[in-house]
Amino acid sequence: MTDLLIENKDLSILKKTVQSFIKEHVLPAELSPEKYEKELSVEVVNRLQAKAKEAGLHAIHAKREWGGTGLSLSARAVLLEEAAKHRLGLYHPAADAFGGEFPRFLEKCTTEQIDRYIRPAISQGKGCFVAVWEEHEDNHLENLSTTAIKDGNEWFLTGHKTYIQNMSQSTFGSILVNCQLPNGDLQPTLFLLDSDQLEWKETVLIDVQTTHSFTLENFCLQDSKRIGAVGEGKTLVEQWLSESLIFLGAKSIGVAEKALEYGKQYAKLRITRGKPLAEFPTIRTMLAKAVLNLQAARLMVSEAAKKVGTQDHDWQLTAQMAKLHATETASKVIDDVLQIHGGSGFAGDLPIERWYKEIRIARVNLQKAETIIENIAKSIL
């Protein structure tokens, strides 16, 4: 109990540190002298990362022995909710000042792999992208079609990967492929990738986000690039996926909380038919339900983080449900706040329009609602 109290106290301090960091450094950086920025320059991000390092918030997703903070999954979820409370926060929490992502499966890396890929990425404030999804697999890892055939100590990869995020925040990546054994069996396996060896295609989504894709044709990788054992890839990716769902849920809640602040402020100021919007029952109901549903989503994300951290019963489904509820709730809250603002909600000086677009993307990221609902149905029928 004493250790838990100490951990909660430390987390409370870190949470306040993140809140101060966003207020003092990130929000001013997003507001240039002439306009609100759609993206921040490398120079600005580097300056923010230096400030984050001074505040003890450097590489929050990395293990302590690699040079990171070594925070638990639950702690990171709490901090990411706070780090998302700004214009670019849903997909660039704290404007990328806290470094990139390092999936749990990187713990399977050898000492040589850690020294070559992970440590340099941490020192540069970057992370690791993950190339899992394909155009026709539809969120189902068992439909993986990218293959690898071994010849000596080399693997030759053929296939197409798409919907790859976090490229700008990564110096290296990982890819899931089906390794074809001599008997014809296919074993899902993870490999490390050098970003500069790939030919990328960039796709813009609703003018607020980019994803990337690439095609491989007999692309050669040394067996020394393999992460873990042959055939272990699906299990390792499922761990990464569950954690990513939790993080996306936490960030969605953070953005929705910030949107709710705008909604409350505007409802108190806007006079309609002789009184503030905040005095109309319909508006009061919107805002009250937002508070209720966001708290429910927060509790679901918190519970999922604990279960995934220990891989407790139903940990994968719990993470999926938390992401689904958090993104759907955030979507409703942002939509209501936009409704409260009316036409002014589309003004460039407010981030509500951006969040309205981004949360639509978040709802289909990683796993779609339809996939999650079907998984829930399978678990009870």
Side-chain angles (χ1 to χ4, degrees), residues 14 22 47 56 61 72 76 86 94 107 130 174 177 186 195 206 214 217 219 265 268 289 357 381:
L14 277 175
I22 300 301
R47 186 173 71 245
H61 291 291
S72 68
R76 283 180 282 161
H86 61 97
E107 295 177 6
V130 182
S174 53
V177 301
L186 297 175
S195 300
I206 325 183
F214 58 79
E217 186 66 39
F219 183 84
Q265 292 168 5
K268 292 176 181 179
K289 283 188 174 181
K357 295 174 180 177
L381 297 175

Side-chain angles (χ1 to χ4, degrees), residues 142-174:
E142 57 269 21
N143 295 335
L144 185 69
S145 62
T146 302
T147 59
I149 298 176
K150 193 175 185 183
D151 184 1
N153 287 323
E154 298 175 330
W155 293 91
F156 290 87
L157 282 59
T158 299
H160 181 74
K161 292 293 183 180
T162 188
Y163 310 125
I164 302 168
Q165 297 176 311
N166 302 325
M167 282 304 307
S168 64
Q169 301 106 301
S170 304
T171 58
F172 73 101
S174 53

Side-chain angles (χ1 to χ4, degrees), residues 2-214:
T2 301
D3 291 342
L4 181 59
L5 290 174
I6 293 173
E7 180 181 338
N8 288 339
K9 182 179 179 181
D10 291 342
L11 181 56
S12 178
I13 294 172
L14 277 175
K15 183 177 176 180
K16 291 179 181 178
T17 302
V18 172
Q19 291 170 343
S20 297
F21 186 87
I22 300 301
K23 181 179 179 180
E24 296 173 12
H25 302 295
V26 176
L27 293 178
E30 288 182 333
L31 178 59
S32 71
E34 298 180 355
K35 62 179 182 178
Y36 285 89
E37 300 290 348
K38 291 186 176 181
E39 61 181 2
L40 300 181
S41 67
V42 173
E43 293 75 17
V44 171
V45 173
N46 288 341
R47 186 173 71 245
L48 290 173
Q49 288 185 344
K51 294 288 185 181
K53 196 167 187 178
E54 293 174 6
L57 296 169
H58 177 66
I60 67 169
H61 291 291
K63 291 168 64 70
R64 189 178 297 276
E65 50 265 42
W66 296 344
T69 58
L71 293 172
S72 68
L73 178 61
S74 294
R76 283 180 282 161
V78 171
L79 297 186
L80 281 176
E81 179 183 331
E82 297 302 322
K85 293 180 179 180
H86 61 97
R87 178 176 293 265
L88 306 177
L90 184 54
Y91 285 98
H92 300 276
D96 300 326
F98 301 161
E101 296 185 8
F102 294 90
R104 185 197 286 193
F105 57 68
L106 293 177
E107 295 177 6
K108 291 281 185 175
C109 285
T110 64
T111 302
E112 292 75 17
Q113 291 171 336
I114 292 171
D115 290 340
R116 178 174 176 178
Y117 291 100
I118 299 176
R119 294 187 190 280
I122 292 174
S123 67
Q124 296 175 48
K126 301 290 187 178
C128 169
F129 69 82
V130 182
V132 170
W133 309 118
E134 299 169 359
E135 286 184 331
H136 305 296
E137 51 72 35
D138 197 32
N139 292 164
H140 296 287
L141 295 176
E142 57 269 21
N143 295 335
L144 185 69
S145 62
T146 302
T147 59
I149 298 176
K150 193 175 185 183
D151 184 1
N153 287 323
E154 298 175 330
W155 293 91
F156 290 87
L157 282 59
T158 299
H160 181 74
K161 292 293 183 180
T162 188
Y163 310 125
I164 302 168
Q165 297 176 311
N166 302 325
M167 282 304 307
S168 64
Q169 301 106 301
S170 304
T171 58
F172 73 101
S174 53
I175 183 172
L176 180 69
V177 301
N178 265 329
C179 286
Q180 186 172 323
L181 303 184
N183 63 2
D185 286 348
L186 297 175
Q187 297 291 324
T189 306
L190 278 167
F191 288 88
L192 292 166
L193 282 175
D194 294 279
S195 300
D196 56 5
Q197 294 181 344
L198 301 168
E199 294 186 11
W200 297 97
K201 178 183 177 182
E202 183 177 278
T203 302
V204 179
L205 305 178
I206 325 183
D207 78 27
V208 290
Q209 187 188 138
T210 59
T211 64
H212 293 79
S213 61
F214 58 79

Side-chain angles (χ1 to χ4, degrees), residues 253-280:
I253 294 169
V255 167
E257 279 280 359
K258 191 65 177 177
L260 182 58
E261 288 182 22
Y262 285 118
K264 291 186 293 185
Q265 292 168 5
Y266 190 80
K268 292 176 181 179
L269 294 174
R270 180 73 167 89
I271 305 299
T272 301
R273 286 179 280 171
K275 60 182 180 180
L277 283 176
E279 294 185 15
F280 287 88

Side-chain angles (χ1 to χ4, degrees), residues 203-354:
T203 302
V204 179
L205 305 178
I206 325 183
D207 78 27
V208 290
Q209 187 188 138
T210 59
T211 64
H212 293 79
S213 61
F214 58 79
T215 300
L216 304 174
E217 186 66 39
N218 289 325
F219 183 84
C220 182
L221 281 179
Q222 297 291 323
D223 189 60
S224 59
K225 299 285 186 71
R226 177 165 42 83
I227 303 174
V230 172
E232 198 175 6
K234 185 173 182 290
T235 299
L236 296 177
V237 165
E238 286 174 343
Q239 294 173 352
W240 160 79
L241 178 58
S242 293
E243 293 193 356
S244 297
L245 291 169
I246 290 168
F247 293 150
L248 183 54
K251 291 182 290 186
S252 298
I253 294 169
V255 167
E257 279 280 359
K258 191 65 177 177
L260 182 58
E261 288 182 22
Y262 285 118
K264 291 186 293 185
Q265 292 168 5
Y266 190 80
K268 292 176 181 179
L269 294 174
R270 180 73 167 89
I271 305 299
T272 301
R273 286 179 280 171
K275 60 182 180 180
L277 283 176
E279 294 185 15
F280 287 88
T282 303
I283 303 301
R284 297 172 68 84
T285 299
M286 276 185 182
L287 297 174
K289 283 188 174 181
V291 173
L292 174 67
N293 292 327
L294 283 172
Q295 178 62 7
R298 185 178 294 108
L299 291 172
M300 288 186 70
V301 168
S302 177
E303 178 65 17
K306 294 174 184 176
K307 278 198 170 186
V308 172
T310 59
Q311 295 197 358
D312 200 357
H313 177 66
D314 287 341
W315 58 278
Q316 293 182 28
L317 188 60
T318 303
Q320 293 171 23
M321 291 192 295
K323 181 265 183 182
L324 174 61
H325 187 63
T327 53
E328 296 289 331
T329 295
S331 179
K332 174 60 175 168
V333 171
I334 293 168
D335 185 74
D336 283 348
V337 169
L338 188 60
Q339 187 74 12
I340 290 171
H341 279 77
S344 65
F346 293 94
D349 60 337
L350 291 176
I352 301 171
E353 181 190 10
R354 181 188 180 96

